Amino acid sequence: MVVLVVAALFAAQHFWSGRPQSVAAPEVVAHGVAGTAQEGPAEPDPPPGATEPAATAPAPDARIVVDVSGKVRRPGVLRLPAGARVEDALAAAGGAERGTDLTGINRARVLTDGEHVVVGVPGMVSAAGGPATGSPAAAGAPAAPISLNSSTAEQLETLPGVGPVLAQHIVDHRTRVGGFRSVDELREVNGIGDRRFADLRNRVRP
């Protein structure tokens, strides 16, 4: 009986150890975690208060428009690259006429869009409101009126709105009538209307 009991226990143990067992499947690594592990180290955040440098250089194709008049070889409206200086405007206008005093001209000054550069005409004020280039007048001093009877056509072109054609009309009119007796006679010049006369009346004298 003892032998049979021992044999039965041995058989039961052998049957129990040989039974099929379930095996758990391996865990799948998440795609997001794996992708994060493959990426390089994150860039450090900028320190507090740090700002990105702002671009200060003008665009390569930026242009400014300036009016150059007075004693230059080719006065007129010029289109120059942004950041151009007075020296560049003089060169584009053909340079100053022979004998023109350029002592008071700051040829290294940077030009601004819409500026009126007057060369070699004392007392003129630039369109920007400051003393014109080459003018010895102090800042804020009023411009001396230009004489309609003694000014040359080039000097008349320094007036606002007066180009080579209108300046020649003024010269032809004073030659035809024998000179201006008053500023109001400027209305009789071909090409000068009420609006332009209003701009010129305080800038000229007979």
Side-chain angles (χ1 to χ4, degrees), residues 121-149:
V121 181
M124 286 301 299
V125 175
S126 66
T133 302
S135 171
I146 291 180
S147 174
L148 295 173
N149 291 325

Side-chain angles (χ1 to χ4, degrees), residues 172-183:
D172 294 342
H173 179 81
R174 79 184 181 195
T175 302
R176 185 170 56 252
V177 302
F180 290 89
R181 292 180 294 275
S182 67
V183 174

Side-chain angles (χ1 to χ4, degrees), residues 101-105 118-125 130-144:
D101 184 12
L102 301 180
T103 304
I105 297 180
V118 185
V119 179
V121 181
M124 286 301 299
V125 175
T133 302
S135 171

Side-chain angles (χ1 to χ4, degrees), residues 2-199:
V2 173
V3 173
L4 292 176
V5 170
V6 171
L9 292 174
F10 180 79
Q13 182 180 5
H14 180 72
F15 176 80
W16 178 259
S17 62
R19 78 186 194 282
Q21 297 180 1
S22 60
V23 179
E27 296 181 1
V28 179
V29 180
H31 177 71
V33 176
T36 305
Q38 295 177 0
E39 294 179 357
E43 296 182 0
D45 294 334
T51 58
E52 296 182 358
T56 57
D61 56 348
R63 312 285 288 182
I64 61 172
V65 180
V66 297
D67 184 6
V68 181
S69 59
K71 295 182 179 181
V72 291
R73 292 186 176 90
R74 295 191 301 272
V77 177
L78 305 176
R79 288 170 175 80
L80 303 173
R85 300 178 183 270
V86 173
E87 176 68 16
D88 301 323
L90 291 178
E97 296 178 355
R98 181 176 300 178
T100 302
D101 184 12
L102 301 180
T103 304
I105 297 180
N106 180 7
R107 288 175 285 181
R109 182 173 59 83
V110 178
L111 295 167
T112 58
D113 185 54
E115 185 173 348
H116 184 193
V117 179
V118 185
V119 179
V121 181
M124 286 301 299
V125 175
S126 66
T133 302
S135 171
I146 291 180
S147 174
L148 295 173
N149 291 325
S150 61
S151 298
T152 64
E154 289 77 11
Q155 291 173 327
L156 292 172
E157 289 177 27
T158 62
L159 294 170
V162 177
V165 175
L166 185 55
Q168 190 59 46
H169 285 174
I170 296 175
V171 173
D172 294 342
H173 179 81
R174 79 184 181 195
T175 302
R176 185 170 56 252
V177 302
F180 290 89
R181 292 180 294 275
S182 67
V183 174
D184 291 338
E185 293 182 8
L186 197 59
R187 295 175 179 268
E188 302 173 6
V189 177
N190 183 24
I192 296 182
D194 293 339
R195 181 176 179 180
R196 183 160 297 174
F197 176 76
D199 294 337

